[in-house]
CSV table of all heavy atoms in Angstrom, one decimal:
chain,number,residue,atom,x,y,z
N,1,PHE,N,8.8,-46.5,-7.0
N,1,PHE,CA,9.3,-46.8,-8.3
N,1,PHE,C,9.6,-48.3,-8.5
N,1,PHE,O,9.4,-49.0,-9.5
N,1,PHE,CB,10.5,-46.0,-8.7
N,1,PHE,CG,10.9,-46.0,-10.1
N,1,PHE,CD1,10.2,-45.4,-11.1
N,1,PHE,CD2,12.0,-46.8,-10.4
N,1,PHE,CE1,10.6,-45.5,-12.4
N,1,PHE,CE2,12.5,-46.9,-11.8
N,1,PHE,CZ,11.7,-46.2,-12.8
N,2,ALA,N,10.2,-48.9,-7.4
N,2,ALA,CA,10.6,-50.3,-7.4
N,2,ALA,C,9.3,-51.2,-7.5
N,2,ALA,O,9.3,-52.2,-8.2
N,2,ALA,CB,11.3,-50.7,-6.1
N,3,THR,N,8.2,-50.8,-6.8
N,3,THR,CA,7.0,-51.5,-6.9
N,3,THR,C,6.4,-51.4,-8.4
N,3,THR,O,5.9,-52.4,-8.9
N,3,THR,CB,6.0,-51.0,-5.9
N,3,THR,OG1,6.5,-51.1,-4.6
N,3,THR,CG2,4.6,-51.7,-6.0
N,4,ARG,N,6.5,-50.2,-9.0
N,4,ARG,CA,6.0,-50.1,-10.4
N,4,ARG,C,6.8,-50.9,-11.3
N,4,ARG,O,6.3,-51.5,-12.3
N,4,ARG,CB,6.0,-48.6,-10.8
N,4,ARG,CG,5.2,-47.7,-9.9
N,4,ARG,CD,3.9,-48.3,-9.5
N,4,ARG,NE,3.0,-47.4,-8.8
N,4,ARG,CZ,1.9,-47.8,-8.1
N,4,ARG,NH1,1.5,-49.0,-8.2
N,4,ARG,NH2,1.2,-46.9,-7.5
N,5,LEU,N,8.1,-51.0,-11.1
N,5,LEU,CA,9.0,-51.9,-11.9
N,5,LEU,C,8.6,-53.3,-11.8
N,5,LEU,O,8.4,-54.0,-12.8
N,5,LEU,CB,10.4,-51.7,-11.5
N,5,LEU,CG,11.4,-52.6,-12.1
N,5,LEU,CD1,11.4,-52.6,-13.6
N,5,LEU,CD2,12.8,-52.3,-11.6
N,6,ARG,N,8.3,-53.8,-10.5
N,6,ARG,CA,7.9,-55.2,-10.4
N,6,ARG,C,6.5,-55.4,-11.0
N,6,ARG,O,6.2,-56.5,-11.5
N,6,ARG,CB,7.8,-55.5,-8.9
N,6,ARG,CG,9.2,-55.6,-8.2
N,6,ARG,CD,9.1,-56.2,-6.8
N,6,ARG,NE,8.4,-55.4,-5.9
N,6,ARG,CZ,7.3,-55.6,-5.3
N,6,ARG,NH1,6.7,-56.8,-5.6
N,6,ARG,NH2,6.7,-54.8,-4.4
N,7,LYS,N,5.7,-54.4,-11.0
N,7,LYS,CA,4.4,-54.5,-11.6
N,7,LYS,C,4.5,-54.8,-13.1
N,7,LYS,O,3.8,-55.6,-13.7
N,7,LYS,CB,3.5,-53.3,-11.4
N,7,LYS,CG,2.1,-53.3,-12.1
N,7,LYS,CD,1.4,-52.0,-11.8
N,7,LYS,CE,0.8,-52.0,-10.4
N,7,LYS,NZ,-0.2,-50.8,-10.3
N,8,VAL,N,5.4,-54.0,-13.8
N,8,VAL,CA,5.7,-54.2,-15.2
N,8,VAL,C,6.3,-55.6,-15.4
N,8,VAL,O,5.8,-56.3,-16.4
N,8,VAL,CB,6.6,-53.1,-15.7
N,8,VAL,CG1,6.9,-53.4,-17.2
N,8,VAL,CG2,6.0,-51.8,-15.6
N,9,LEU,N,7.2,-56.0,-14.6
N,9,LEU,CA,7.9,-57.3,-14.8
N,9,LEU,C,6.9,-58.5,-14.6
N,9,LEU,O,7.0,-59.5,-15.3
N,9,LEU,CB,9.1,-57.4,-13.9
N,9,LEU,CG,10.2,-56.5,-14.2
N,9,LEU,CD1,11.3,-56.6,-13.1
N,9,LEU,CD2,10.8,-56.6,-15.5
N,10,THR,N,6.0,-58.4,-13.6
N,10,THR,CA,5.1,-59.4,-13.4
N,10,THR,C,3.9,-59.4,-14.2
N,10,THR,O,3.1,-60.3,-14.3
N,10,THR,CB,4.6,-59.4,-11.9
N,10,THR,OG1,4.0,-58.1,-11.6
N,10,THR,CG2,5.8,-59.6,-11.0
N,11,LYS,N,3.6,-58.2,-14.9
N,11,LYS,CA,2.4,-57.9,-15.7
N,11,LYS,C,1.1,-58.1,-14.8
N,11,LYS,O,0.1,-58.6,-15.3
N,11,LYS,CB,2.4,-58.9,-16.9
N,11,LYS,CG,3.6,-58.7,-17.8
N,11,LYS,CD,3.5,-59.6,-19.0
N,11,LYS,CE,4.7,-59.4,-19.9
N,11,LYS,NZ,4.7,-60.3,-21.1
N,12,LYS,N,1.2,-57.8,-13.6
N,12,LYS,CA,0.1,-57.9,-12.7
N,12,LYS,C,-0.2,-56.6,-12.0
N,12,LYS,O,0.6,-56.0,-11.4
N,12,LYS,CB,0.4,-59.0,-11.6
N,12,LYS,CG,0.5,-60.4,-12.1
N,12,LYS,CD,0.7,-61.3,-10.9
N,12,LYS,CE,0.8,-62.8,-11.4
N,12,LYS,NZ,1.1,-63.7,-10.2
N,13,GLU,N,-1.5,-56.1,-12.2
N,13,GLU,CA,-1.9,-54.9,-11.6
N,13,GLU,C,-2.0,-54.9,-10.1
N,13,GLU,O,-2.0,-53.9,-9.4
N,13,GLU,CB,-3.2,-54.4,-12.2
N,13,GLU,CG,-3.6,-53.0,-11.9
N,13,GLU,CD,-4.8,-52.6,-12.6
N,13,GLU,OE1,-5.4,-53.4,-13.4
N,13,GLU,OE2,-5.3,-51.5,-12.4
N,14,THR,N,-2.1,-56.2,-9.6
N,14,THR,CA,-2.3,-56.3,-8.1
N,14,THR,C,-0.9,-56.5,-7.4
N,14,THR,O,-0.9,-56.9,-6.2
N,14,THR,CB,-3.1,-57.6,-7.9
N,14,THR,OG1,-2.5,-58.7,-8.5
N,14,THR,CG2,-4.5,-57.4,-8.4
N,15,THR,N,0.2,-56.1,-8.0
N,15,THR,CA,1.5,-56.2,-7.3
N,15,THR,C,1.4,-55.3,-6.0
N,15,THR,O,1.1,-54.2,-6.1
N,15,THR,CB,2.6,-55.7,-8.2
N,15,THR,OG1,2.6,-56.5,-9.4
N,15,THR,CG2,3.9,-55.8,-7.5
N,16,ILE,N,1.8,-55.9,-4.9
N,16,ILE,CA,1.7,-55.2,-3.6
N,16,ILE,C,3.0,-54.5,-3.3
N,16,ILE,O,4.1,-54.9,-3.5
N,16,ILE,CB,1.5,-56.3,-2.5
N,16,ILE,CG1,0.2,-57.0,-2.8
N,16,ILE,CG2,1.4,-55.6,-1.2
N,16,ILE,CD1,-1.0,-56.2,-2.9
N,17,HIS,N,2.8,-53.2,-2.8
N,17,HIS,CA,4.0,-52.4,-2.4
N,17,HIS,C,4.5,-53.0,-1.1
N,17,HIS,O,3.8,-53.4,-0.2
N,17,HIS,CB,3.5,-51.0,-2.2
N,17,HIS,CG,4.6,-50.1,-1.7
N,17,HIS,ND1,5.6,-49.7,-2.6
N,17,HIS,CD2,4.9,-49.5,-0.5
N,17,HIS,CE1,6.4,-48.9,-1.9
N,17,HIS,NE2,6.0,-48.7,-0.7
N,18,MET,N,5.8,-53.1,-1.0
N,18,MET,CA,6.5,-53.6,0.2
N,18,MET,C,6.4,-52.6,1.4
N,18,MET,O,6.8,-51.5,1.2
N,18,MET,CB,7.9,-54.0,-0.1
N,18,MET,CG,8.1,-55.1,-1.0
N,18,MET,SD,9.9,-55.5,-1.2
N,18,MET,CE,10.2,-56.1,0.5
N,19,PRO,N,5.8,-53.0,2.5
N,19,PRO,CA,5.7,-52.1,3.6
N,19,PRO,C,7.1,-51.8,4.2
N,19,PRO,O,8.0,-52.6,4.2
N,19,PRO,CB,4.8,-52.9,4.6
N,19,PRO,CG,5.1,-54.3,4.3
N,19,PRO,CD,5.3,-54.4,2.8
N,20,ARG,N,7.2,-50.6,4.8
N,20,ARG,CA,8.4,-50.1,5.4
N,20,ARG,C,8.3,-50.6,6.9
N,20,ARG,O,7.6,-50.0,7.7
N,20,ARG,CB,8.6,-48.6,5.3
N,20,ARG,CG,9.8,-48.1,6.0
N,20,ARG,CD,10.0,-46.6,5.8
N,20,ARG,NE,8.8,-45.9,6.3
N,20,ARG,CZ,8.9,-45.2,7.5
N,20,ARG,NH1,9.9,-45.3,8.3
N,20,ARG,NH2,7.8,-44.6,7.9
N,21,THR,N,8.9,-51.7,7.2
N,21,THR,CA,8.9,-52.2,8.6
N,21,THR,C,10.3,-52.1,9.3
N,21,THR,O,10.4,-52.3,10.5
N,21,THR,CB,8.5,-53.7,8.6
N,21,THR,OG1,9.4,-54.4,7.7
N,21,THR,CG2,7.1,-53.8,8.0
N,22,GLN,N,11.3,-51.8,8.5
N,22,GLN,CA,12.7,-51.7,9.0
N,22,GLN,C,13.0,-50.3,9.5
N,22,GLN,O,13.7,-49.5,8.9
N,22,GLN,CB,13.7,-52.1,8.0
N,22,GLN,CG,13.5,-53.5,7.5
N,22,GLN,CD,12.6,-53.5,6.3
N,22,GLN,OE1,12.1,-52.5,5.9
N,22,GLN,NE2,12.3,-54.7,5.7
N,23,TYR,N,12.4,-49.9,10.7
N,23,TYR,CA,12.6,-48.6,11.3
N,23,TYR,C,12.5,-48.8,12.8
N,23,TYR,O,12.0,-49.8,13.3
N,23,TYR,CB,11.6,-47.6,10.8
N,23,TYR,CG,10.2,-47.8,11.2
N,23,TYR,CD1,9.7,-47.3,12.4
N,23,TYR,CD2,9.3,-48.6,10.4
N,23,TYR,CE1,8.4,-47.5,12.8
N,23,TYR,CE2,8.0,-48.8,10.8
N,23,TYR,CZ,7.5,-48.3,12.0
N,23,TYR,OH,6.3,-48.5,12.4
N,24,THR,N,13.1,-47.9,13.5
N,24,THR,CA,13.1,-48.0,15.0
N,24,THR,C,11.8,-47.4,15.5
N,24,THR,O,11.5,-46.2,15.3
N,24,THR,CB,14.3,-47.2,15.6
N,24,THR,OG1,15.5,-47.6,15.0
N,24,THR,CG2,14.4,-47.4,17.1
N,25,SER,N,11.0,-48.3,16.2
N,25,SER,CA,9.7,-47.9,16.6
N,25,SER,C,9.8,-47.0,17.9
N,25,SER,O,10.8,-46.9,18.6
N,25,SER,CB,8.9,-49.1,16.9
N,25,SER,OG,9.4,-49.9,18.0
N,26,GLU,N,8.6,-46.4,18.2
N,26,GLU,CA,8.6,-45.6,19.4
N,26,GLU,C,8.8,-46.4,20.7
N,26,GLU,O,9.4,-46.0,21.6
N,26,GLU,CB,7.2,-44.9,19.5
N,26,GLU,CG,7.0,-43.7,18.5
N,26,GLU,CD,6.6,-44.2,17.1
N,26,GLU,OE1,6.4,-45.4,17.0
N,26,GLU,OE2,6.5,-43.4,16.2
N,27,SER,N,8.3,-47.6,20.7
N,27,SER,CA,8.4,-48.5,21.9
N,27,SER,C,9.9,-48.8,22.1
N,27,SER,O,10.4,-48.9,23.2
N,27,SER,CB,7.6,-49.8,21.7
N,27,SER,OG,8.0,-50.5,20.6
N,28,THR,N,10.6,-49.1,21.0
N,28,THR,CA,12.1,-49.3,21.1
N,28,THR,C,12.8,-48.1,21.7
N,28,THR,O,13.7,-48.2,22.5
N,28,THR,CB,12.6,-49.8,19.8
N,28,THR,OG1,12.0,-50.9,19.3
N,28,THR,CG2,14.1,-50.0,19.9
N,29,LEU,N,12.5,-46.9,21.2
N,29,LEU,CA,13.1,-45.7,21.6
N,29,LEU,C,12.9,-45.5,23.1
N,29,LEU,O,13.7,-45.1,23.9
N,29,LEU,CB,12.6,-44.5,20.8
N,29,LEU,CG,13.1,-44.5,19.3
N,29,LEU,CD1,12.5,-43.3,18.6
N,29,LEU,CD2,14.6,-44.4,19.2
N,30,MET,N,11.7,-45.8,23.6
N,30,MET,CA,11.3,-45.6,25.0
N,30,MET,C,12.1,-46.6,25.9
N,30,MET,O,12.4,-46.2,27.0
N,30,MET,CB,9.8,-45.8,25.2
N,30,MET,CG,9.0,-44.6,24.6
N,30,MET,SD,9.4,-43.0,25.4
N,30,MET,CE,10.4,-42.3,24.1
N,31,LYS,N,12.4,-47.7,25.3
N,31,LYS,CA,13.2,-48.7,26.1
N,31,LYS,C,14.6,-48.2,26.4
N,31,LYS,O,15.2,-48.5,27.4
N,31,LYS,CB,13.2,-50.0,25.4
N,31,LYS,CG,11.9,-50.8,25.4
N,31,LYS,CD,12.0,-52.1,24.7
N,31,LYS,CE,10.6,-52.8,24.7
N,31,LYS,NZ,10.7,-54.1,23.9
N,32,ILE,N,15.2,-47.5,25.4
N,32,ILE,CA,16.6,-47.1,25.6
N,32,ILE,C,16.7,-45.7,26.2
N,32,ILE,O,17.8,-45.1,26.4
N,32,ILE,CB,17.3,-47.1,24.3
N,32,ILE,CG1,16.7,-46.1,23.3
N,32,ILE,CG2,17.3,-48.5,23.7
N,32,ILE,CD1,17.5,-46.0,22.0
N,33,ARG,N,15.5,-45.0,26.4
N,33,ARG,CA,15.5,-43.7,27.1
N,33,ARG,C,16.1,-43.8,28.5
N,33,ARG,O,15.6,-44.6,29.3
N,33,ARG,CB,14.1,-43.1,27.0
N,33,ARG,CG,14.0,-41.7,27.7
N,33,ARG,CD,12.7,-41.2,27.6
N,33,ARG,NE,12.6,-39.9,28.3
N,33,ARG,CZ,12.1,-39.7,29.5
N,33,ARG,NH1,11.7,-40.8,30.2
N,33,ARG,NH2,12.1,-38.5,30.1
N,34,ASP,N,17.0,-42.9,28.8
N,34,ASP,CA,17.6,-42.9,30.1
N,34,ASP,C,17.7,-41.4,30.6
N,34,ASP,O,18.6,-40.7,30.1
N,34,ASP,CB,19.0,-43.5,30.0
N,34,ASP,CG,19.7,-43.5,31.4
N,34,ASP,OD1,19.0,-43.3,32.4
N,34,ASP,OD2,20.9,-43.8,31.4
N,35,PRO,N,16.8,-41.0,31.4
N,35,PRO,CA,16.8,-39.6,31.9
N,35,PRO,C,18.1,-39.2,32.6
N,35,PRO,O,18.4,-38.1,32.7
N,35,PRO,CB,15.6,-39.5,32.8
N,35,PRO,CG,14.7,-40.7,32.4
N,35,PRO,CD,15.6,-41.8,31.9
N,36,ALA,N,18.8,-40.3,33.1
N,36,ALA,CA,20.0,-40.0,33.9
N,36,ALA,C,21.3,-40.1,33.0
N,36,ALA,O,22.4,-40.3,33.5
N,36,ALA,CB,20.1,-40.9,35.1
N,37,ILE,N,21.1,-40.1,31.7
N,37,ILE,CA,22.2,-40.3,30.8
N,37,ILE,C,23.3,-39.2,31.0
N,37,ILE,O,22.9,-38.0,31.2
N,37,ILE,CB,21.8,-40.3,29.3
N,37,ILE,CG1,22.9,-40.7,28.4
N,37,ILE,CG2,21.2,-39.0,28.9
N,37,ILE,CD1,22.5,-40.8,26.9
N,38,GLU,N,24.5,-39.6,31.0
N,38,GLU,CA,25.6,-38.6,31.3
N,38,GLU,C,26.2,-38.1,30.0
N,38,GLU,O,26.2,-38.7,29.0
N,38,GLU,CB,26.7,-39.3,32.1
N,38,GLU,CG,26.2,-39.8,33.5
N,38,GLU,CD,27.4,-40.4,34.3
N,38,GLU,OE1,28.5,-40.5,33.7
N,38,GLU,OE2,27.1,-40.8,35.5
N,39,TRP,N,26.7,-36.8,30.2
N,39,TRP,CA,27.4,-36.3,29.1
N,39,TRP,C,28.7,-37.0,28.9
N,39,TRP,O,29.3,-37.5,29.8
N,39,TRP,CB,27.7,-34.8,29.4
N,39,TRP,CG,26.6,-33.9,29.3
N,39,TRP,CD1,25.4,-34.0,29.9
N,39,TRP,CD2,26.5,-32.7,28.5
N,39,TRP,NE1,24.5,-32.9,29.6
N,39,TRP,CE2,25.2,-32.1,28.7
N,39,TRP,CE3,27.4,-32.0,27.7
N,39,TRP,CZ2,24.8,-30.9,28.2
N,39,TRP,CZ3,27.0,-30.8,27.1
N,39,TRP,CH2,25.7,-30.3,27.3
N,40,PRO,N,29.2,-37.1,27.6
N,40,PRO,CA,30.5,-37.7,27.5
N,40,PRO,C,31.6,-36.9,28.1
N,40,PRO,O,31.4,-35.7,28.4
N,40,PRO,CB,30.7,-37.8,25.9
N,40,PRO,CG,29.8,-36.7,25.4
N,40,PRO,CD,28.7,-36.6,26.4
N,41,SER,N,32.8,-37.4,28.2
N,41,SER,CA,33.9,-36.6,28.6
N,41,SER,C,34.2,-35.5,27.6
N,41,SER,O,33.8,-35.6,26.5
N,41,SER,CB,35.2,-37.5,28.8
N,41,SER,OG,35.6,-38.0,27.5
């Protein structure tokens, strides 16, 4: 909906949708994986 709003405001049919890049990737998750992680107290 935000992209459609920008399309109306710019009056350009070629308005580009912003990609979702702000997420935790699989490679990042694998880096913090710790099979020996301990239970909390």
Side-chain angles (χ1 to χ4, degrees):
F1 188 77
T3 300
R4 301 319 185 192
L5 171 59
R6 288 192 294 114
K7 177 183 284 190
V8 175
L9 295 176
T10 58
K11 301 181 182 180
K12 293 182 179 179
E13 192 174 357
T14 56
T15 301
I16 302 300
H17 181 72
M18 293 186 62
R20 180 175 61 99
T21 58
Q22 302 86 1
Y23 66 91
T24 306
S25 64
E26 288 81 4
S27 59
T28 300
L29 292 176
M30 288 300 102
K31 289 179 182 178
I32 64 176
R33 177 176 177 264
D34 181 11
I37 188 173
E38 296 182 357
W39 287 54
S41 65

